[in-house]
Amino acid sequence: MKLIRDRWDHHNMEMNEVHNYNCELVKHGTAPQWQKRKSTLIARKHGENQCYCGPCPKNWICYRNNCYQFFNESKSWYQSQASCMSQNSSLLKIYSREDQDFFKLVKSYHWMGLIQIPANGSWQWEDGTILLPSQLTMVEMENGTCAVYGSSFKGYTENCLTPNTYICMQRIV
């Protein structure tokens, strides 16, 4: 039970780091203009300690052209995918390291939308695109056909039925 509690505590600290990173971008002027305006308005309304930018759903993290939500509950890859879909989102996809550089702060394992194709062994994102070496480095850990994001733009193979926390995302067009 202590291991589970430690994992939750670590996950909550990680969420605060990512949220603070996002807020710092807004405060220091490196966020997009619409994000700065929205964050300033929300900060005034809710107190200076809070930071939010839109057009993301409430309690989601907005960074560059994406909205992200880290979920504490542990589910299989398929259950995690269904949960994201029910919220009009998909599991995490790494489009580019530059556009999603705040993920370097992630320190625990989360399901992402990457699955191995049994026929040829290649890795494919939920949207059908093939994993590019510039997006992510895959590390063989377990005999599995799903992947968890583990930090430093590394994906780790995992059995799809193993419960893990997960990250949902929405693209802002």
Side-chain angles (χ1 to χ4, degrees):
M1 191 61 156
K2 182 180 180 335
L3 178 63
I4 293 170
R5 194 169 34 251
D6 288 347
R7 186 174 180 189
W8 286 95
D9 291 343
H10 180 78
H11 179 77
N12 288 334
M13 287 188 319
E14 177 179 288
M15 283 300 303
N16 287 335
E17 286 178 28
V18 171
H19 185 264
N20 290 339
Y21 181 76
N22 187 41
C23 291
E24 287 303 311
L25 290 173
V26 170
K27 289 176 190 169
H28 296 316
T30 54
Q33 194 60 38
W34 63 266
Q35 187 174 347
K36 288 182 224 172
R37 277 196 306 271
K38 180 89 172 186
S39 295
T40 303
L41 292 173
I42 303 263
R44 283 188 195 135
K45 186 175 182 182
H46 297 290
E48 290 301 322
N49 292 340
Q50 293 186 13
C51 178
Y52 169 79
C53 63
C56 295
K58 186 177 180 180
N59 299 322
W60 285 53
I61 296 167
C62 177
Y63 184 68
R64 300 213 176 161
N65 292 321
N66 299 303
C67 302
Y68 302 96
Q69 179 64 281
F70 289 67
F71 288 90
N72 291 329
E73 57 202 4
S74 291
K75 295 183 174 192
S76 73
W77 188 90
Y78 302 103
Q79 292 169 326
S80 300
Q81 181 188 43
S83 175
C84 290
M85 288 174 71
S86 74
Q87 298 177 64
N88 201 25
S89 63
S90 63
L91 284 167
L92 172 67
K93 177 180 180 180
I94 301 294
Y95 285 90
S96 76
R97 295 178 189 208
E98 296 77 26
D99 283 348
Q100 294 165 296
D101 63 348
F102 81 90
F103 276 102
K104 64 188 172 201
L105 299 172
V106 172
K107 296 177 183 79
S108 57
Y109 299 104
H110 305 278
W111 285 124
M112 61 180 159
L114 196 57
I115 196 159
Q116 193 172 35
I117 307 304
N120 61 12
S122 66
W123 288 90
Q124 177 177 301
W125 296 103
E126 286 177 278
D127 64 9
T129 59
I130 301 297
L131 172 68
L132 301 174
S134 61
Q135 293 171 313
L136 197 67
T137 302
M138 285 302 296
V139 179
E140 287 282 332
M141 294 295 286
E142 294 228 1
N143 188 15
T145 57
C146 291
V148 290
Y149 181 82
S151 74
S152 303
F153 296 99
K154 288 188 178 135
Y156 297 88
T157 58
E158 180 75 81
N159 181 314
C160 299
L161 300 178
T162 302
N164 276 299
T165 56
Y166 56 100
I167 303 170
C168 294
M169 73 178 286
Q170 293 177 345
R171 288 289 275 177
I172 301 170
V173 212

